[in-house]
């Protein structure tokens, strides 16, 4: 897979992130793989928190924000830019 396709797949979800990580251009799209992983972990945490009644409302709103971040990341990957996402762009999991 090319760098662009790998970058786009990294933002779609954890399954697609795994496919991009295993079959894609890891070195070329490492930035987008990292940001996609941070988004996926954030979504998993928010899904767990949404089961708690009062926190669930905030978690649902935060989930919409992460979805907007994912769209911003996809646009950045298509343009082949390495533009960090707001609030979470400085978190590094993959080195």
């Amino acid at each position: 897979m090319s760098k662009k396709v790998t970058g786009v797949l990294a933002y779609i979800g954890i399954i697609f992130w795994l496919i991009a990580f295993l079959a894609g251009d890891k070195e070329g799209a490492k930035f987008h793989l990292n940001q996609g992983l941070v988004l996926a972990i954030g979504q998993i945490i928010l899904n767990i928190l949404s089961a708690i009644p009062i926190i669930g409302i905030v978690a649902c709103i935060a989930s919409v924000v992460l979805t907007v971040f994912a769209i911003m990341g996809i646009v950045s990957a298509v343009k082949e830019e390495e533009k960090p996402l707001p609030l979470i762009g400085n978190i590094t999991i993959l080195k």
Side-chain angles (χ1 to χ4, degrees):
M1 272 189 280
S2 70
K3 174 183 171 182
K4 188 182 292 189
V5 173
T6 303
V8 170
L9 287 179
Y11 292 104
I12 296 176
I14 194 70
I15 300 297
F16 289 101
W17 182 91
L18 192 60
I19 292 168
F21 183 75
L22 294 175
D25 180 12
K26 288 181 211 155
E27 289 304 313
K30 188 186 306 184
F31 177 81
H32 296 293
L33 285 169
N34 182 62
Q35 291 200 136
L37 181 60
V38 171
L39 282 174
I41 291 170
Q43 282 288 7
I44 291 169
I45 292 170
L46 289 175
N47 286 338
I48 293 169
L49 291 177
S50 68
I52 302 170
I54 295 175
I55 297 174
I57 296 169
V58 176
C60 288
I61 294 169
S63 182
V64 171
V65 171
L66 287 185
T67 302
V68 171
F69 287 173
I71 293 168
M72 292 170 61
I74 290 170
V75 170
S76 177
V78 168
K79 291 181 178 179
E80 294 186 2
E81 299 175 345
E82 291 188 359
K83 186 176 176 185
L85 296 174
L87 302 176
I88 62 170
N90 294 329
I91 300 172
T92 303
I93 296 175
L94 299 175
K95 297 195 180 213

